[in-house]
Structures are given as structure tokens and as C-alpha cells.
């Protein structure tokens, strides 16, 4: 698997985690810790691609 595919796979996992959590919670109450637990990736990986939770949300709706 290429590096680009790995990056996209991890970003997609965070976006999917966000939508899963949004089904039961408001955006304001979702934490980065919840996103990492739901996605299966680390906080370090999360912050490599998304500097803030808002950037994750913006990326997911584009």
C-alpha cells in the first residue's frame, strides 16, 4: 500500500469516527480522545492531519 493510500485511509477513519459520534452527541461535546478511540488511530496521527477538530469537520464536508 502506498503512503498516499495509508494517509487517506487514516483520514477517512477519523472522518467516519466523527460521523459515528455525531449520531449520539453534539459536535461541541466530541473530544479528540473520542475520535482517536473510535477511529483506532493515535492522537499523534490525528494531529498530523488535523490541527483542530474544526479542521476535521471542514475536511469531511468538502
Amino acid at each position: 500500500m502506498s503512503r498516499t493510500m495509508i494517509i487517506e485511509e487514516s483520514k477517512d477513519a477519523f472522518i467516519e469516527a466523527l460521523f459515528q459520534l455525531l449520531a449520539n452527541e453534539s459536535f461541541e461535546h466530541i473530544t479528540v480522545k473520542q475520535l482517536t478511540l473510535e477511529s483506532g488511530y493515535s492522537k499523534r496521527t490525528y494531529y498530523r492531519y488535523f490541527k483542530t477538530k474544526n479542521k476535521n469537520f471542514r475536511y469531511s464536508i468538502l
Side-chain angles (χ1 to χ4, degrees):
M1 186 180 292
S2 73
R3 178 153 171 75
T4 304
M5 289 176 69
I6 293 169
I7 290 169
E8 288 305 312
E9 185 177 285
S10 57
K11 284 182 179 181
D12 289 345
F14 286 120
I15 291 164
E16 186 176 323
L18 176 62
F19 283 113
Q20 291 291 325
L21 292 167
L22 282 171
N24 299 314
E25 252 179 283
S26 68
F27 180 75
E28 294 79 24
H29 291 107
I30 295 172
T31 65
V32 171
K33 183 175 183 176
Q34 288 175 295
L35 288 167
T36 58
L37 290 172
E38 185 75 26
S39 69
Y41 287 90
S42 70
K43 248 185 179 178
R44 183 178 181 174
T45 302
Y46 181 85
Y47 284 114
R48 181 176 297 141
Y49 303 122
F50 304 106
K51 301 301 180 206
T52 66
K53 187 174 65 168
N54 289 332
K55 290 197 181 204
N56 181 343
F57 183 72
R58 280 190 225 131
Y59 181 84
S60 68
I61 60 173
L62 292 179

